[in-house]
Amino acid sequence: DKEVTLTVNKAPLTVTAVNASWLFGEESPEFELVYDGFVNDEDASVLTTPVSVFIPPVIGPGTYPIVLSGGEAANYEITLVNGTFTINKAPLIVTVVNASRAYGEKNPEFPPVYDGFVNGEDSSVLTTPVSASTPATIESPPGEYPIELSGGEAPNYEITLVNGTLTVVRQTPVIT
């Protein structure tokens, strides 16, 4: 009788971090891992050391690594595949309220109205403030004139500017 040596190799198992994305100000989702290579109806419960997920501190919008570590099992040779997550800028809509004034009067103020700040932030986070202007002057005849917004930059926000309209109306004569 011959003696036979049988070598059983570990099965290959790949654990991949699924790439993810969300908007600035939203809570981060639970990071998903995909396991490829389990045999005999086994699953992650056979790992003697589970796979851990590490993410760096998040400063703001950008792309960051998902770093995997750990992952040991007696019957598997484990390969870890890191992923990335992206935090996208939050949408911020800036509008100006339509206004009107009488012919011969000076233009009113056109304060911008903000919708979309998160984390308790406000217009103080703008690196370039929003300003409103119109081509209408005191001498402009009655009619409609655009109120145009400009500026508006902030590192954490994708800003959309929505212009308005200034309506100049005829003076109502005062009868005494």
Side-chain angles (χ1 to χ4, degrees):
D1 284 325
K2 267 186 153 177
E3 201 172 293
V4 177
T5 304
L6 180 62
T7 303
V8 178
N9 293 321
K10 292 182 174 187
L13 175 66
T14 302
V15 183
T16 304
V18 176
N19 295 337
S21 67
W22 63 91
L23 293 176
F24 174 76
E26 291 180 343
E27 196 169 311
S28 67
E30 192 71 29
F31 291 102
E32 183 181 348
L33 301 178
V34 174
Y35 296 85
D36 185 28
F38 281 121
V39 295
N40 301 326
D41 294 325
E42 292 181 327
D43 60 24
S45 66
V46 300
L47 297 177
T48 53
T49 302
V51 175
S52 297
V53 176
F54 169 79
I55 60 168
V58 174
I59 306 166
T63 300
Y64 301 89
I66 303 170
V67 180
L68 302 182
S69 62
E72 293 181 20
N75 296 326
Y76 294 95
E77 185 65 41
I78 299 174
T79 301
L80 302 176
V81 180
N82 296 333
T84 59
F85 68 96
T86 303
I87 299 177
N88 295 302
K89 292 182 175 190
L92 177 65
I93 298 171
V94 185
T95 58
V96 63
V97 177
N98 293 334
S100 64
R101 68 161 174 86
Y103 169 75
E105 292 181 0
K106 67 181 206 175
N107 291 330
E109 293 291 317
F110 306 119
V113 178
Y114 301 92
D115 182 26
F117 282 118
V118 296
N119 298 338
E121 294 182 334
D122 58 27
S123 62
S124 66
V125 300
L126 296 174
T127 54
T128 302
V130 174
S131 60
S133 63
T134 182
T137 65
I138 290 176
E139 294 84 26
S140 295
E144 292 187 343
Y145 299 87
I147 304 171
E148 298 171 332
L149 294 175
S150 61
E153 291 182 23
N156 298 332
Y157 296 93
E158 186 67 41
I159 299 174
T160 301
L161 302 176
V162 180
N163 295 328
T165 302
L166 171 66
T167 303
V168 176
V169 296
R170 296 191 187 290
Q171 275 283 9
T172 305
V174 176
I175 302 175
T176 56

